[in-house]
Amino acid sequence: MTIAPFAAGSAAADLNTRRLVAMKASLGTLSNQLSTGRTAETYGGLGSGRTQSLAARAQIGALDGYIAAAGTGANRVALATASVQQVATLGSTAYSGLVGAQASSGAAGRPLLQQSAAGQLGGVLDALNQSDGRQYILGGRVTDRPPVETESRILDGDSEAGLDGVKAVIAERQSADLGAGTTKTGRLDLSAAGAAVSLSESASAGVRENFGFTLGRVVSSNPGGLSVALTAAQPSTATLSFTSQPRDGDIVRVTVRNADGSQGFVDLTARTAGAVGDDTFAIGADAATSAQNLTAALAGKSFDGKSFTGKAVVGAQSANPPGAAVALSGGTPASASVTVGTGLAAGDSLQVTVGLRDGTSKTLSLTAGDGTRAGSFAIGATPAATAANLSAALATALDSTARTDLAASSAVRAANDFFAGSSSPGLNPRRVATDADGNATGFVADPSGRTVIWYKGDDTSADPRRTATVPVSRDQSVGIGVQANEAAFRATLSGLAVLATTSFGGTETDTPRFDAYSARVQAQLRPGDGQPSVQGIASELSLASVQIATQKTQNTATKSMLEKTVDGVETVSTEETAAKLLSLQNQLQASYQATSMLSKLSLTNYL
């Protein structure tokens, strides 16, 4: 390293030179700022402001992503809302048609209800197959195919594939509920011997737990003329079993009977030790232990928001393997014996209450008289003759109720089972099991491969809204997913399917049958308070739309403020820069002139 020799006056000259160079650099910087409007061409040129600029730009980039996602999500929500509203409108139209047809003036329109319902069902299915041009939006996480089947396959099945549609499922269930024979007694056994008439539930536990009427109260207005002996039913004991050891992820659908006689499902998934949680049961050391764990898990579950207490297991289904099954043993059917006495007089009556599998009941009233009017029986010459007349009248009343209320209840329950079916192994729609003579004995343990699976979307999520989310901020996302197999949609589809597969006459004689179907289908199309509804889904989507719009507005405002922050750091004022540039040019020119004069200064000139 060489040290330059010191010369008198060199420090001042060096300092002056550095000042001139710095002023020249500032002049260049100001010129660039004036031409570009930017403070600097690199973040390093921003000095201490670079940290603020980088942080603000990072936030702006994230906000741009949220704003774009909100726009896409808003479009999807709008399409989904339109589809859901279409379903609600079609269901409401069908409901209004039923109400109008119940009036005597609307009876002539009843034969048209079946055709109208088929069209409405097709409209609902089209709405559920809505897409945004790139993906289907009502299939949960499955977006690459239509989530629901066509109307023809749902109603009529696929004969080439050997799969039944809802029409065949309804017919099968009605046959199982009404029973064989010309006179339908709803699977109750009715007989007369001497002066006594006996009525009892089926001796088969599988039948009395699943099909036909249940026998409730039997009350006589004159015990001296019609004495009643009623034996209450004793429930059967259900034993769950597996033909082989369940594997992790195997699903078992258990059918339970509620206290009111209605039925429902509880789905439980087999899990290995340590992974047991809600809606699961532990896989044991062997199949028997696993069955015990399944039984124990059921005892601690809730069903329809209520405790499992008061409910009884009456069936189970799964894929095979593991081959879940329920054996019903013990128990006794309810039975009643009515003995005709000599004290019977005209006007005495007998009320027989029968229960239906949807939790409702019907009371049959039979009055002693001449037997010419409906609901009456003739007093014969002997108690035995009167008992025979009472038995015939009771058979007629059971047949009438079976062909109206029981048939309607059976159709709705079968449709509900069809639409509750899933493509998950073992969760296909319930199907009736029969004996060698074709008589229904219960339900098939593994119904796979017998019925069209109407829903082809995602059914693994407990919360359909979370199957698709819109990120609207760092800590918030809005659920906008919809699944076509949600309970509210299934109820509407069930109601329309029952109407689309049932014909009605326009005469007054068909009124009781129509009223029975109408009441139950109306309950499907317009659920009661607290029940899932299509309008409820539409309300949730509307709320999601509002949340997205609100957050988008907030994000846009935040982005605007951040852009102002960036502008304050990265951009310059043209007027201010021009003034600085002019001032610097003047200073630089003066410095050049002074330097020039000093460079020419000599002792002679100085003197």
Side-chain angles (χ1 to χ4, degrees):
M1 178 178 179
T2 303
I3 301 177
F6 176 77
S10 62
D14 290 343
L15 178 61
N16 189 46
T17 300
R18 286 197 298 270
R19 287 175 177 173
L20 288 174
V21 172
M23 293 174 67
K24 181 65 173 64
S26 297
L27 181 65
T29 299
L30 291 172
S31 298
N32 288 336
Q33 290 178 347
L34 187 62
S35 61
T36 63
R38 296 191 295 268
T39 301
E41 297 302 313
T42 63
Y43 285 108
L46 296 177
S48 60
R50 62 179 175 272
T51 302
Q52 186 178 14
S53 176
L54 287 169
R57 284 191 175 277
Q59 292 183 59
I60 290 173
L63 290 172
D64 283 337
Y66 296 138
I67 292 170
T72 302
N75 292 335
R76 175 166 176 162
V77 170
L79 282 173
T81 301
S83 296
V84 173
Q85 289 289 7
Q86 178 70 358
V87 174
T89 299
L90 290 169
S92 179
T93 300
Y95 179 91
S96 299
L98 286 172
V99 173
Q102 279 187 294
S104 58
S105 59
R110 292 174 189 168
L112 301 177
L113 287 176
Q114 184 178 17
Q115 182 178 355
S116 298
Q120 290 156 350
L121 177 63
V124 169
L125 295 174
D126 287 342
L128 296 178
N129 276 334
Q130 178 67 271
S131 74
D132 61 2
R134 298 172 300 169
Q135 56 185 6
Y136 294 91
I137 61 178
L138 278 82
R141 295 186 179 92
V142 177
T143 61
D144 60 345
R145 61 175 181 262
V148 300
E149 276 286 3
T150 63
E151 177 191 355
S152 61
R153 279 176 58 84
I154 287 176
L155 291 178
D156 301 317
D158 186 339
S159 57
E160 293 184 0
L163 300 175
D164 293 330
V166 67
K167 185 183 297 183
V169 173
I170 289 175
E172 177 185 81
R173 184 70 61 82
Q174 287 180 327
S175 177
D177 276 324
L178 271 64
T182 304
T183 301
K184 307 299 182 183
T185 61
R187 305 305 295 267
L188 295 179
D189 296 325
L190 175 64
S191 63
V197 176
S198 298
L199 185 66
S200 68
E201 297 173 348
S202 174
S204 167
V207 172
R208 68 173 180 267
E209 292 290 1
N210 293 293
F211 305 124
F213 292 124
T214 59
L215 181 59
R217 299 178 60 199
V218 181
V219 179
S220 169
S221 65
N222 178 12
L226 296 171
S227 64
V228 176
L230 179 64
T231 302
Q234 296 297 319
S236 302
T237 300
T239 303
L240 288 159
S241 64
F242 293 109
T243 59
S244 62
Q245 177 74 310
R247 297 165 299 184
D248 187 75
D250 284 344
I251 302 174
V252 179
R253 171 164 285 179
V254 180
T255 304
V256 297
R257 173 177 43 79
N258 300 314
D260 62 2
S262 61
Q263 291 185 348
F265 300 135
V266 177
D267 293 342
L268 296 176
T269 304
R271 292 299 183 201
T272 55
V276 179
D278 292 339
D279 300 325
T280 65
F281 67 96
I283 299 173
D286 51 32
T289 306
S290 295
Q292 294 173 2
N293 292 342
L294 174 60
T295 303
L298 282 168
K301 298 299 176 185
S302 62
F303 177 67
D304 288 344
K306 300 178 182 178
S307 170
F308 195 83
T309 303
K311 307 177 190 302
V313 174
V314 296
Q317 68 180 61
S318 72
N320 190 13
V326 168
L328 298 174
S329 60
T332 56
S335 62
S337 177
V338 181
T339 303
V340 178
T342 57
L344 180 66
D348 290 343
S349 63
L350 181 73
Q351 282 77 39
V352 179
T353 301
V354 292
L356 285 80
R357 303 295 171 172
D358 58 7
T360 62
S361 62
K362 189 78 172 180
T363 298
L364 314 179
S365 182
L366 301 175
T367 304
D370 56 10
T372 59
R373 294 177 292 105
S376 69
F377 61 96
I379 301 175
T382 63
T386 302
N389 294 337
L390 173 61
S391 178
L394 182 55
T396 299
L398 288 171
D399 181 78
S400 176
T401 306
R403 295 179 187 275
T404 54
D405 291 274
L406 181 57
S409 169
S410 182
V412 170
R413 289 186 300 109
N416 286 340
D417 282 357
F418 176 86
F419 288 104
S422 165
S423 59
S424 297
L427 299 188
N428 282 203
R430 284 200 302 177
R431 299 303 300 269
V432 174
T434 57
D435 58 19
D437 297 325
N439 297 315
T441 58
F443 289 103
V444 178
D446 180 11
S448 303
R450 299 182 55 172
T451 317
V452 167
I453 304 301
W454 73 280
Y455 178 69
K456 300 177 292 183
D458 172 39
D459 62 355
T460 61
S461 175
D463 183 1
R465 300 299 160 266
R466 305 309 299 180
T467 57
T469 57
V470 178
V472 294
S473 70
R474 184 181 64 181
D475 302 319
Q476 181 183 6
S477 63
V478 179
I480 61 171
V482 185
Q483 291 181 185
N485 70 335
E486 293 185 44
F489 294 137
R490 296 202 311 266
T492 298
L493 289 168
S494 296
L496 293 176
V498 170
L499 288 180
T501 56
T502 308
S503 60
F504 299 104
T507 62
E508 193 65 27
T509 56
D510 197 41
T511 296
R513 174 173 167 271
F514 173 77
D515 288 345
Y517 274 88
S518 179
R520 287 167 173 81
V521 172
Q522 285 181 41
Q524 296 289 113
L525 299 177
R526 186 170 293 180
D529 294 340
Q531 298 297 315
S533 68
V534 178
Q535 285 294 356
I537 297 175
S539 297
E540 290 179 9
L541 291 175
S542 296
L543 178 60
S545 179
V546 171
Q547 289 176 319
I548 291 172
T550 300
Q551 193 62 44
K552 182 180 179 181
T553 300
Q554 182 175 340
N555 288 341
T556 301
T558 303
K559 177 185 174 182
S560 178
M561 290 187 292
L562 290 171
E563 286 176 337
K564 291 180 179 178
T565 299
V566 171
D567 287 343
V569 175
E570 296 183 359
T571 62
V572 296
S573 170
T574 304
E575 294 79 6
E576 182 180 353
T577 302
K580 288 181 179 179
L581 181 61
L582 180 60
S583 176
L584 184 59
Q585 286 176 334
N586 293 335
Q587 292 178 24
L588 189 59
Q589 184 176 3
S591 296
Y592 281 154
Q593 290 176 350
T595 302
S596 176
M597 292 173 61
L598 289 173
S599 66
K600 298 176 181 180
L601 186 62
S602 64
L603 181 59
T604 303
N605 293 334
Y606 179 75
L607 295 175

